[in-house]
């Protein structure tokens, strides 16, 4: 169980095994990573910079986000393994993914995060 200071819920990471990657799929969205995080993923995939960028990244304003692919009735992050239903770069996933479901936004949108993530637990 993971606890974060000032959040009204905890998170059971074991829930990810039976969830099927709800936070990696569904509506279209942006997944941002730092330059350092992108570089680690690129090296892990043994790709040249241009090839990595063309294959996996899209420009969103001045930033780079992971591309998405069509999945079921919506989308999935391009790094989501649609057969095994999990992240294909789990150990190298960016901090945006690692910090979910403890995002500032959810402190005031509890109902949303409850619907999104089955690993959320409330202390009674
Ligand atoms: S939605 Fe929650 S339980 Fe499901 S994969 Fe994401 S973090 Fe894990
Ligand atoms: S990088 Fe991995 S954990 Fe993050 S959204 Fe993509 S598939 Fe999910």
């Amino acid at each position: 169980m993971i606890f974060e200071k000032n959040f009204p819920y905890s998170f059971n990471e074991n829930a990810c095994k039976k969830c099927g990657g709800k936070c990696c799929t569904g509506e279209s969205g942006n997944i941002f990573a730092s330059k350092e995080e992108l570089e680690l993923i690129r090296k892990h995939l043994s790709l040249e910079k241009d090839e990595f960028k063309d294959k996996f990244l899209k420009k969103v304003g001045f930033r780079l986000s992971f591309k998405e692919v069509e999945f079921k009735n919506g989308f999935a992050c391009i790094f989501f393994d649609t057969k095994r239903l999990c992240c294909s770069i789990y150990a190298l996933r960016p901090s945006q993914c690692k910090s979910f479901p403890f995002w500032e936004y959810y402190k005031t949108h509890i109902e949303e995060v409850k619907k999104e993530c089955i690993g959320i637990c409330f202390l009674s």
Side-chain angles (χ1 to χ4, degrees), residues 12-26:
N12 178 1
E13 68 270 43
N14 291 327
C16 299
K17 290 180 197 137
K18 52 184 175 181
C19 163
K22 226 175 149 195
C23 55
C24 309
T25 62

Side-chain angles (χ1 to χ4, degrees), residues 11 15-16 19 21-23 100 116-119:
F11 170 60
C16 299
C19 163
K22 226 175 149 195
C23 55
F100 182 83
E116 175 81 9
C117 179
I118 59 167

